[in-house]
Amino acid sequence: MLANASDAIVIGFNVVPDEKARSRADKDGVQIRRYDVIYKITDDLKLALEGMLKPEEREVELGRVLVQQVFKISRVGTVAGCRVLTGTVVRNARARIIRDSTVIGDYAVDTLRREKDDAKEVREGYECGIKLAGFNDIKEGDVFEVYKVEEINRTFDS
């Protein structure tokens, strides 16, 4: 009854629950885990606790882009005609907009096109069209720092 009240798991070491306890646990949805080797208990508890840790978010720089020309397209919005200065630009990444050495915003890359075709990525030295989600105040000379956010599962070892 205590395990049910606190959403706990019952752990047994070298024991077997009697029939009344097993049926009550099944009825209440309480897990009963039985172990014969002590280190398996600690391994399972460690894995369960690590699963409760929030993943660490890390930014990975992908590339830098220079806005060379701005196109205002009806029903679409503002599209930046860009040249990739370093790295690559990837669709579904994020972009920091830098104007006059100041970060003025951070938006998702909505569409990425290379010569009128949708592109998954555009490499250094090539030109592309970029539409940012929710941002239309793009100016010539703006720089986009393109990055993605990776989630890294945390463990107790690191």
Side-chain angles (χ1 to χ4, degrees):
M1 287 187 293
L2 290 174
N4 184 29
S6 61
D7 290 328
I9 297 171
V10 176
I11 295 176
F13 182 67
N14 281 333
V15 294
V16 178
D18 65 5
E19 198 52 44
K20 279 176 53 178
R22 184 188 307 272
S23 65
R24 180 67 186 248
D26 288 342
K27 181 181 147 203
D28 292 342
V30 173
Q31 267 187 63
I32 297 177
R33 294 188 184 175
R34 296 175 26 207
Y35 297 93
D36 296 327
V37 181
I38 193 79
Y39 73 85
K40 288 184 180 178
I41 295 174
T42 58
D43 289 347
D44 279 0
L45 288 175
K46 181 178 171 188
L47 289 172
L49 290 172
E50 285 175 350
M52 295 168 74
L53 292 174
K54 290 183 181 175
E56 178 182 337
E57 292 184 346
R58 184 179 304 157
E59 287 184 8
V60 177
E61 291 283 328
L62 297 175
R64 289 174 63 86
V65 173
L66 174 65
V67 177
Q68 294 180 316
Q69 196 167 358
V70 178
F71 303 96
K72 296 196 186 299
I73 302 171
S74 61
R75 296 186 311 241
V76 174
T78 305
V79 176
C82 305
R83 174 177 295 281
V84 182
L85 301 174
T86 60
T88 59
V89 177
V90 180
R91 189 179 347 144
N92 299 329
R94 295 202 55 87
R96 261 187 224 93
I97 303 150
I98 301 171
R99 183 178 296 159
D100 300 324
S101 300
T102 306
V103 176
I104 62 168
D106 188 324
Y107 298 91
V109 175
D110 192 21
T111 57
L112 179 64
R113 293 190 165 227
R114 170 106 178 95
E115 296 177 1
K116 297 185 182 182
D117 296 324
D118 281 334
K120 290 183 181 177
E121 72 174 26
V122 179
R123 297 179 188 270
E124 181 176 336
Y126 290 100
E127 294 182 343
C128 61
I130 297 176
K131 166 88 174 85
L132 298 176
F135 185 75
N136 287 318
D137 187 31
I138 300 169
K139 306 269 191 256
E140 289 181 22
D142 286 353
V143 174
F144 297 166
E145 276 186 351
V146 181
Y147 68 95
K148 65 180 177 179
V149 177
E150 288 183 344
E151 287 188 352
I152 299 163
N153 290 332
R154 293 173 25 196
T155 64
F156 290 120
D157 297 332
S158 57

